[in-house]
Amino acid sequence: MAAEREPPPLGDGKPTDFEDLEDGEDLFTSTVSTLESSPSSPEPASLPAEDISANSNGPKPTEVVLDDDREDLFAEATEEVSLDSPEREPILSSEPSPAVTPVTPTTLIAPRIESKSMSAPVIFDRSREEIEEEANGDIFDIEIGVSDPEKVGDGMNAYMAYRVTTKTSLSMFSKSEFSVKRRFSDFLGLHSKLASKYLHVGYIVPPAPEKSIVGMTKVKVGKEDSSSTEFVEKRRAALERYLQRTVKHPTLLQDPDLRQFLESSELPRAVNTQALSGAGILRMANKAADAVNKMTIKMNESDAWFEEKQQQFENLDQQLRKLHVSVEALVCHRKELSANTAAFAKSAAMLGNSEDHTALSRALSQLAEVEEKIDQLHQEHAFADFYMFSELLSDYIRLIAAVKGVFDHRMKCWQKWEDAQITLLKKREAEAKMMVANKPDKIQQAKNEIREWEAKVQQGERDFEQISKTIRKEVGRFEKERVKDFKTVIIKYLESLVQTQQQLIKYWEAFLPEAKAIA
Amino acid sequence: METYAEPSCASVDLQGDSSLQVEISDAVSERDKVKFTVQTKSCLPHFAQTEFSVVRQHEEFIWLHDAYVENEEYAGLIIPPAPPRPDFEASREKLQKLGEGDSSVTREEFAKMKQELEAEYLAIFKKTVAMHEVFLQRLAAHPTLRRDHNFFVFLEYGQDLSVRGKNRKELLGGFLRNIVKSADEALITGMSGLKEVDDFFEHERTFLLEYHTRIRDACLRADRVMRAHKCLADDYIPISAALSSLGTQEVNQLRTSFLKLAELFERLRKLEGRVASDEDLKLSDMLRYYMRDSQAAKDLLYRRLRALADYENANKALDKARTRNREVRPAESHQQLCCQRFERLSDSAKQELMDFKSRRVSSFRKNLIELAELELKHAKASTLILRNTLVALKGEP
């Protein structure tokens, strides 16, 4: 599906992090056993510039030059990243996070944990091609199904377990067909992990379905009515679409957390996903802080493409929301029509029973039957309106929010770079002052700090260019997917409408002779 | 008996009779009233001209209807139900609300919504004309009713009939009369001794009571279906508009997809609207008409029962007079009158009720056939435009 294979990103892209690895670096872990032992210097993640750039750009190498010169910049902690939410702590950092499986190099790709690894350029190339071949050969042969919702437990601790079935011929999976049981919070946990790893480096991570306290409470409480079955079905379909979108992303597909989610029979509970948990509230607070901050960042956009695209997505968002509201009204009214048709069918049947002219009586009963069947059709039609049309729109509204999110991350990245530049300037000024005051020890310190901040500035610039590049690619991929997605769903929707009309024709054609038979 | 419908009234079949033809050739809606131009073509000697027309308002129709109902001569006949009062209130309110405006609506959407409301207004107008017309035409077709003097006056008298709308006392009086009538009817049937002698009428009574209730129910529910359909059609307007905007904004292949989809929804809207209006005319209106007609038939049965009660009472009075041997003659003649009246009513009622049945059957037949044919037509048209859109969408790269 993806025309371009993207090297899997690293677990963390934050320059301030301990292991700052560039894109493409770990591709080759598997094939090059010397990778881990090859560091020529203690510097974490300093990579031969050209090749990394080549890798990270996919088929077309570009100009991004990486600085070899990174030192213990990364030893610096995270003071700068005050706005980062805890969940952004990369899985691979020293901080503990829930449900982390130690990642070991496998046959394919895994984000590196422990090192600071380097790789030789030649090896990179070869390995990269191999990976690409394998991936292209499979061409995203992976199908995900979410089915069989099952209530587990009782009362307020009850939850729905869903069966996640994967069918694939990709070699990264140990089997070609397998299934596991997952609950909703597992999905949220997966998204949380993926988001924390990939969002801030510019990857558009598909958002997970929304929580619904009301909906779930009904299910927990055990209401066996149609609204809770509808809720469960709506959720099941949403979870399925969520996973399908996630595996379609070439980079995310390589992620071990995703693989673990799909494959392993036991998954540690993702506890920080509860809406009202401490982590949940913290998330909300951070989102709010983010929003405020976004408003105050004034970025000098040097690249018109970004401005254009942001505007485009903003417009698209507005239009989709408008359309979504109208489609929701349509669904609601069609359900009303269905209910009214059913009521009419009953009264037509009663009328037919009263009618004392035999042939007319029969015709009226037939009319009642037709109307009952038409009621069914209305319900199916409303179903299609909702699951195909309305849910497509709401999925994309949330996806576009994710897109807007990566643009925001880019802005933050720029801000960080800007701040580093400003600080560097200050350090230089401080040094100059020291020079004048002639305090040798302070001068040395100032010089050290200058060096440190120069590196940070360079890293900031690199990161900014990296995220910009990633976003460009991601947006390209996203748009392609969007076109395909919409076209597929629209066609499916229209085909179901055709089916409905044909049924309608059948019913009325059967009724017509009955009406004519009235004598 | 072969009947055919006048093209202007879909609900009722009338026998053609060229000696008296009545139609509403024109109608004008003013602020709060409608003026109908009633045109008559007749070769009957009674009229001064062979072709003439007058202008009448709704109240004058009601006056005519009430005149028939109160006329003892027609007690044995089903009096055609009075046309309902023209009611544009709801439609006018909607148009006004639209005018007040909702800024989020685009110009195209506004134009479409206005068009829809105007069409609705026009449809209500046409219906009220049809209801008034069919009332007159049934009168004109009925061998007895057409000879009524008030009818001639209604058709011919050039001036205003000076029939004011019922004042409150009269309305209340009418209301009370209905209550008394129902109570009476219940009492009569409960009264010991008043036994229905005729199986035909016994059957008709039970039948009509149940039928009337059920057809009223069916009519109400058919109305709801029709309104829901109309609502659905209206929902397509903002959808089509939003798809249009989406299409014009897109720079990729989705542009044509969205635009085609917008077009599709616009067409589906029109079809859905037609389905709604066909259901209205062929189903709702028909059910409504026969609900009123069956009420008129019930009224006839009541009048006959009243006559039967009178007859019974007269019998009892005669017996008493004979026993006491006092005032036998007047009691005898009274009893005779009651007997004759009752028999007259029974005979004509029987005929009327049989006519009612055949009228009802043929009207239902016609309307159900037309309904089915129209539904088929619309479903086929929908299928066609859906398929065309699919071909266009799939054909794109």
Side-chain angles (χ1 to χ4, degrees):
Chain A
M1 245 193 264
E4 9 181 82
R5 291 291 295 172
E6 197 151 278
L10 313 171
D12 40 3
K14 285 190 299 188
T16 53
D17 259 334
F18 189 59
E19 28 291 312
D20 184 37
L21 309 171
E22 288 305 306
D23 256 5
E25 172 183 304
D26 2 316
L27 277 179
F28 320 106
T29 343
S30 50
T31 49
V32 182
S33 52
T34 55
L35 266 178
E36 287 162 49
S37 49
S38 72
S40 43
S41 70
E43 297 143 19
S46 79
L47 307 164
E50 316 75 70
D51 292 295
I52 296 299
S53 10
N55 301 330
S56 28
N57 290 337
K60 280 176 302 216
T62 55
E63 338 52 51
V64 172
V65 172
L66 303 174
D67 199 343
D68 284 344
D69 198 29
R70 285 174 287 140
E71 301 184 343
D72 15 319
L73 287 176
F74 314 105
E76 300 307 322
T78 52
E79 313 93 76
E80 295 174 16
V81 286
S82 50
L83 295 174
D84 296 342
S85 59
E87 70 175 83
R88 283 222 289 78
E89 294 315 313
I91 295 273
L92 313 172
S93 74
S94 43
E95 279 123 270
S97 54
V100 176
T101 15
V103 177
T104 52
T106 60
T107 43
L108 252 207
I109 293 87
R112 302 302 321 288
I113 326 176
E114 315 85 76
S115 35
K116 341 147 167 224
S117 71
M118 272 28 76
S119 25
V122 175
I123 298 166
F124 269 61
D125 276 343
R126 184 181 7 117
S127 316
R128 201 184 119 252
E129 274 158 29
E130 280 175 19
I131 304 302
E132 280 210 1
E133 241 174 63
E134 172 154 47
N136 282 336
D138 292 331
I139 314 182
F140 269 127
D141 178 12
I142 175 167
E143 256 175 63
I144 310 272
V146 174
S147 59
D148 305 318
E150 201 180 40
K151 186 165 162 200
V152 177
D154 259 320
M156 288 313 286
N157 290 325
Y159 63 90
M160 292 305 272
Y162 302 87
R163 175 171 298 284
V164 177
T165 309
T166 313
K167 293 196 188 120
T168 177
S169 63
L170 289 172
S171 58
M172 70 166 122
F173 294 102
S174 45
K175 289 187 267 185
S176 63
E177 191 171 329
F178 47 91
S179 72
V180 292
K181 282 280 205 180
R182 295 285 178 253
R183 53 185 292 188
F184 186 65
S185 55
D186 293 334
F187 289 81
L188 293 181
L190 172 67
H191 173 257
S192 173
K193 288 186 208 151
L194 294 175
S196 71
K197 285 192 251 181
Y198 299 102
L199 256 184
H200 61 272
V201 279
Y203 288 94
I204 301 172
V205 178
E210 280 170 350
K211 288 194 248 259
S212 162
I213 297 179
V214 172
M216 237 0 245
T217 311
K218 273 206 218 159
V219 173
K220 285 187 212 264
V221 160
K223 284 189 76 179
E224 285 293 325
D225 64 356
S226 62
S227 74
S228 48
T229 12
E230 254 181 64
F231 171 78
V232 171
E233 173 52 31
K234 177 177 171 185
R235 178 164 275 192
R236 182 210 65 78
L239 290 173
E240 194 173 81
R241 291 194 307 272
Y242 163 65
L243 282 181
Q244 284 167 342
R245 287 211 173 89
T246 307
V247 299
K248 270 197 211 142
H249 195 299
T251 310
L252 298 179
L253 181 58
Q254 313 294 348
D255 188 281
D257 282 316
L258 176 59
R259 222 175 321 139
Q260 183 193 39
F261 179 89
L262 293 174
E263 276 187 319
S264 55
S265 48
E266 287 299 316
L267 203 64
R269 257 309 288 285
V271 291
N272 287 335
T273 60
Q274 281 155 349
L276 299 178
S277 71
I281 296 190
L282 193 53
R283 259 196 298 275
M284 286 194 283
N286 284 320
K287 277 210 186 96
D290 277 354
V292 170
N293 216 54
K294 196 190 336 173
M295 296 193 292
T296 57
I297 294 180
K298 294 210 121 221
M299 181 167 147
N300 297 333
E301 186 57 79
S302 53
D303 193 339
W305 184 91
F306 284 91
E307 224 171 280
E308 223 177 84
K309 280 297 168 188
Q310 270 185 285
Q311 190 55 52
Q312 244 180 285
F313 279 115
E314 189 55 51
N315 293 343
L316 186 60
D317 184 40
Q318 273 179 20
Q319 289 302 328
L320 286 180
R321 278 175 199 272
K322 222 170 116 182
L323 182 58
H324 185 238
V325 165
S326 307
V327 174
E328 282 191 313
L330 183 75
V331 172
C332 179
H333 291 146
R334 203 179 294 280
K335 286 192 182 156
E336 256 177 57
L337 175 62
S338 156
N340 289 347
T341 308
F344 173 69
K346 290 205 182 85
S347 59
M350 299 274 275
L351 188 64
N353 283 343
S354 290
E355 178 55 66
D356 65 349
H357 184 278
T358 338
L360 179 54
S361 169
R362 188 172 48 236
L364 284 170
S365 307
Q366 294 289 68
L367 180 68
E369 267 181 46
V370 167
E371 292 287 338
E372 236 177 76
K373 290 190 194 139
I374 290 178
D375 164 36
Q376 263 309 107
L377 284 182
H378 286 318
Q379 280 182 43
E380 283 170 23
H381 197 171
F383 205 75
D385 284 343
F386 180 72
Y387 281 102
M388 289 191 239
F389 205 179
S390 179
E391 287 283 78
L392 174 72
L393 295 170
S394 75
D395 281 353
Y396 269 90
I397 290 169
R398 285 178 311 117
L399 273 165
I400 287 177
V403 173
K404 286 200 214 171
V406 299
F407 277 99
D408 288 344
H409 279 296
R410 178 175 171 269
M411 278 211 302
K412 284 208 210 117
C413 191
W414 180 85
Q415 188 66 62
K416 215 184 274 185
W417 179 25
E418 263 295 288
D419 291 345
Q421 287 177 317
I422 291 171
T423 313
L424 178 62
L425 212 61
K426 286 204 193 121
K427 297 294 178 193
R428 289 209 167 116
E429 283 170 7
E431 187 207 26
K433 275 205 205 124
M434 295 304 154
M435 294 284 228
V436 167
N438 201 14
K439 292 188 182 155
D441 42 327
K442 288 246 170 93
I443 288 174
Q444 185 51 45
Q445 182 192 353
K447 280 206 192 305
N448 286 341
E449 285 182 353
I450 286 175
R451 244 208 316 279
E452 171 195 332
W453 281 95
E454 276 174 349
K456 280 194 183 165
V457 165
Q458 281 169 341
Q459 185 58 48
E461 183 176 7
R462 267 201 294 265
D463 287 343
F464 179 71
E465 283 171 359
Q466 185 57 53
I467 196 177
S468 301
K469 201 173 6 162
T470 307
I471 289 180
R472 272 179 185 263
K473 217 189 309 192
E474 279 289 280
V475 165
R477 191 191 59 85
F478 177 81
E479 284 291 84
K480 261 209 217 124
E481 272 304 310
R482 181 168 74 89
V483 170
K484 213 183 325 176
D485 220 349
F486 267 80
K487 280 190 92 166
T488 313
V489 173
I490 289 174
I491 287 175
K492 214 165 61 149
Y493 175 62
L494 293 185
E495 282 176 346
S496 87
L497 295 191
V498 170
Q499 287 289 76
T500 305
Q501 293 301 316
Q502 300 208 290
Q503 280 293 87
L504 208 54
I505 290 174
K506 241 198 326 199
Y507 297 149
W508 285 110
E509 275 178 348
F511 175 73
L512 196 50
E514 288 290 336
K516 289 189 170 155
I518 303 172
Chain B
M1 112 179 84
E2 196 50 54
T3 54
Y4 53 89
E6 302 296 315
S8 53
C9 74
S11 306
V12 183
D13 288 347
L14 299 170
Q15 273 184 302
D17 183 336
S18 54
S19 63
L20 178 62
Q21 284 177 334
V22 182
E23 73 175 23
I24 295 184
S25 58
D26 194 15
V28 169
S29 165
E30 282 169 19
R31 181 68 213 144
D32 53 349
K33 51 188 168 210
V34 182
K35 295 203 164 115
F36 302 96
T37 305
V38 180
Q39 188 181 59
T40 314
K41 289 190 186 126
S42 175
C43 51
L44 288 178
H46 177 88
F47 295 111
Q49 299 160 284
T50 48
E51 220 176 290
F52 50 91
S53 57
V54 294
V55 175
R56 293 284 175 247
Q57 287 184 42
H58 175 73
E59 288 76 19
E60 293 166 300
F61 286 76
I62 299 302
W63 165 83
L64 181 62
H65 173 261
D66 288 350
Y68 275 108
V69 167
E70 285 156 15
N71 192 330
E72 166 59 33
E73 248 187 79
Y74 307 129
L77 306 176
I78 294 180
I79 311 295
R85 200 177 66 83
D87 183 13
F88 298 100
E89 221 21 73
S91 192
R92 222 176 262 141
E93 253 177 48
K94 277 196 234 172
L95 265 169
Q96 192 169 23
K97 230 192 283 190
L98 184 67
E100 276 157 22
D102 174 8
S103 56
S104 72
V105 165
T106 67
R107 227 191 333 204
E108 288 88 16
E109 281 177 80
F110 180 83
K112 282 189 198 155
M113 282 158 73
K114 184 155 171 277
Q115 208 179 52
E116 276 307 308
L117 282 177
E118 284 171 352
E120 201 179 289
Y121 191 96
L122 191 63
I124 296 177
F125 188 73
K126 279 195 187 150
K127 266 205 247 180
T128 194
V129 168
M131 295 276 98
H132 285 75
E133 191 177 66
V134 83
F135 169 68
L136 295 177
Q137 286 175 338
R138 261 186 75 182
L139 291 170
H142 195 288
T144 314
L145 297 173
R146 79 213 301 244
R147 290 192 255 119
D148 184 78
H149 172 74
N150 287 324
F151 191 41
F152 293 156
V153 168
F154 179 93
L155 291 174
E156 211 181 9
Y157 185 61
Q159 309 288 355
D160 213 354
L161 290 178
S162 301
V163 174
R164 54 191 165 73
K166 292 186 180 156
N167 66 19
R168 196 144 36 111
K169 195 160 118 193
E170 283 171 329
L171 276 171
L172 196 59
F175 180 59
L176 282 173
R177 234 179 296 142
N178 276 330
I179 295 188
V180 167
K181 198 160 71 171
S182 326
D184 245 336
E185 185 174 307
L187 250 170
I188 284 174
T189 52
M191 238 165 77
S192 61
L194 185 71
K195 254 197 298 212
E196 181 53 76
V197 295
D198 196 331
D199 277 344
F200 172 82
F201 284 103
E202 183 51 36
H203 168 81
E204 285 296 305
R205 218 187 66 82
T206 23
F207 162 69
L208 271 176
L209 278 173
E210 194 183 61
Y211 188 82
H212 176 75
T213 317
R214 290 185 178 184
I215 198 172
R216 187 179 54 207
D217 212 31
C219 176
L220 282 170
R221 291 180 181 188
D223 274 348
R224 283 201 205 119
V225 171
M226 185 273 294
R227 272 198 296 268
H229 247 138
K230 184 107 220 325
C231 198
L232 208 61
D234 286 343
D235 282 339
Y236 284 129
I237 296 179
I239 290 180
S240 184
L243 285 167
S244 246
S245 326
L246 269 170
T248 41
Q249 274 174 26
E250 292 280 2
V251 294
N252 53 33
Q253 305 149 9
L254 284 181
R255 183 189 187 85
T256 23
S257 303
F258 282 136
L259 290 175
K260 288 226 161 61
L261 208 59
E263 211 182 289
L264 172 71
F265 273 93
E266 176 55 23
R267 295 223 187 109
L268 286 179
R269 172 179 81 90
K270 297 223 170 87
L271 276 175
E272 199 78 52
R274 271 183 222 133
V275 170
S277 83
D278 288 339
E279 278 176 358
D280 191 20
L281 291 172
K282 303 296 169 194
L283 207 49
S284 288
D285 276 356
M286 174 187 72
L287 292 171
R288 199 181 342 268
Y289 192 82
Y290 282 97
M291 174 182 81
R292 294 205 191 102
D293 218 11
S294 59
Q295 181 62 51
K298 270 170 70 180
D299 290 345
L300 168 63
L301 283 183
Y302 162 73
R303 290 194 291 268
R304 179 186 159 276
L305 278 176
R306 202 54 278 157
L308 179 60
D310 289 344
Y311 179 34
E312 293 267 311
N313 289 338
N315 274 337
K316 289 199 187 118
L318 181 60
D319 284 344
K320 231 200 289 192
R322 280 192 180 136
T323 331
R324 292 197 220 133
N325 205 6
R326 233 186 333 156
E327 290 189 8
V328 174
R329 199 76 54 75
E332 264 177 0
S333 56
H334 179 64
Q335 191 257 28
Q336 272 247 306
L337 272 169
C338 285
C339 176
Q340 278 166 0
R341 184 164 176 270
F342 172 66
E343 279 170 3
R344 179 174 61 90
L345 281 190
S346 294
D347 285 340
S348 78
K350 201 171 225 163
Q351 185 58 49
E352 286 284 301
L353 288 169
M354 294 199 303
D355 287 349
F356 170 66
K357 179 165 173 171
S358 61
R359 203 171 47 233
R360 178 176 86 243
V361 170
S362 78
S363 185
F364 267 71
R365 177 178 192 277
K366 174 174 169 288
N367 283 300
L368 288 177
I369 291 175
E370 283 175 6
L371 176 71
E373 285 173 346
L374 284 165
E375 294 270 3
L376 275 171
K377 178 169 147 210
H378 297 321
K380 286 180 180 159
S382 290
T383 309
L384 190 63
I385 57 181
L386 282 166
R387 283 221 169 105
N388 286 345
T389 310
L390 271 170
V391 162
L393 288 177
K394 285 180 179 166
E396 283 161 34

